[in-house]
Amino acid sequence: VALAQALQFEITLRQKDVIGEWVPQSERGTSDVIDGNSKWLWGLRWSEIDKNLILRHTTSKRQKDIEVDLRLAPMVMEELTAMFPDLVLPSSGPVIVYEDSGQPYMAHQFRRVWRTVANAAGVPKNVYNMDSRAGAITEATDAGAELEDVRHAATHGDISMTQRYSRGGTEKTAKVMRLRAEHLNKK
């Protein structure tokens, strides 16, 4: 769960792109992870991470290819190092699996386990795992990242979507107004 959370937040991935999704076998897409009449799609696989810790993944919503250097994601690296001290990662299989079954999580299982961990960590009840993506986007814009760069990192097709995810609009507007006033006063 910690690795899944770190991947979602630091790479601005959707939950489905990290833990995957169980769908009927009749749905489009191929998978070697099968359970009864269901197959697992979209989640991260160890084979998508190369020996230099570069993750290459196709996203679920828009089928966009991403390439991310995991060495630039400190929380991800902390979890990977805890799991694999020598950083020799498995070569195949799902990255995130439900500890009780060894299979990828079903969405409801992940939400339940995530909330249990969140409660133990003191995360307020009104904060959900789905807030990870918006939190990452907000942190990026708060840090001064260019909105177009954040849009690209979040794989949004339109910058207006990135703006909707970036929270704290009132504070950001006030910051822009202060910067403009300071600029005018310098003239």
Side-chain angles (χ1 to χ4, degrees):
V1 171
L3 178 58
Q5 179 64 56
L7 288 160
Q8 281 183 253
F9 182 74
E10 291 200 314
I11 306 174
T12 66
L13 289 172
R14 291 171 183 85
Q15 182 186 80
K16 184 190 298 188
D17 287 312
V18 174
I19 69 166
E21 178 181 43
W22 286 98
V23 299
Q25 284 198 39
S26 59
E27 279 200 31
R28 239 180 46 218
T30 57
S31 178
D32 59 346
V33 181
I34 308 290
D35 187 11
N37 293 324
S38 298
K39 63 184 173 185
W40 179 77
L41 298 173
W42 304 119
L44 295 178
R45 293 173 171 273
W46 291 114
S47 59
E48 296 176 312
I49 304 171
D50 71 18
K51 64 181 170 121
N52 297 313
L53 300 176
I54 304 297
L55 168 68
R56 291 175 183 85
H57 179 73
T58 302
T59 63
S60 60
K61 187 170 182 179
R62 296 184 164 274
Q63 287 76 57
K64 289 193 176 181
D65 293 331
I66 61 166
E67 184 173 307
V68 179
D69 185 345
L70 296 179
R71 294 170 297 184
L72 300 176
M75 289 188 294
V76 172
M77 290 306 298
E78 182 178 345
E79 293 306 318
L80 288 175
T81 302
M83 294 167 67
F84 310 101
D86 58 1
L87 285 177
V88 175
L89 306 180
S91 59
S92 64
V95 172
I96 306 298
V97 295
Y98 184 38
E99 294 80 4
D100 289 353
S101 68
Q103 289 278 70
Y105 279 95
M106 288 186 238
H108 74 276
Q109 290 171 321
F110 186 80
R111 282 192 303 272
R112 183 178 42 79
V113 172
W114 186 92
R115 178 40 55 195
T116 299
V117 172
N119 288 345
V123 175
K125 297 270 188 214
N126 66 338
V127 175
Y128 302 95
N129 177 257
M130 69 180 183
D131 294 322
S132 300
R133 187 166 161 82
I137 291 168
T138 301
E139 181 182 74
T141 57
D142 285 353
E146 295 291 329
L147 200 53
E148 178 60 23
D149 293 340
V150 177
R151 181 200 67 79
H152 179 75
T155 67
H156 287 148
D158 188 284
I159 206 153
S160 64
M161 179 61 73
T162 309
Q163 290 170 316
R164 282 197 299 251
Y165 270 81
S166 183
R167 297 175 178 164
T170 302
E171 295 84 6
K172 290 175 184 173
T173 300
K175 178 182 175 184
V176 168
M177 292 175 75
R178 281 192 298 278
L179 289 170
R180 290 180 65 200
E182 289 170 15
H183 178 73
L184 283 173
N185 289 335
K186 287 179 184 177
K187 288 184 174 185

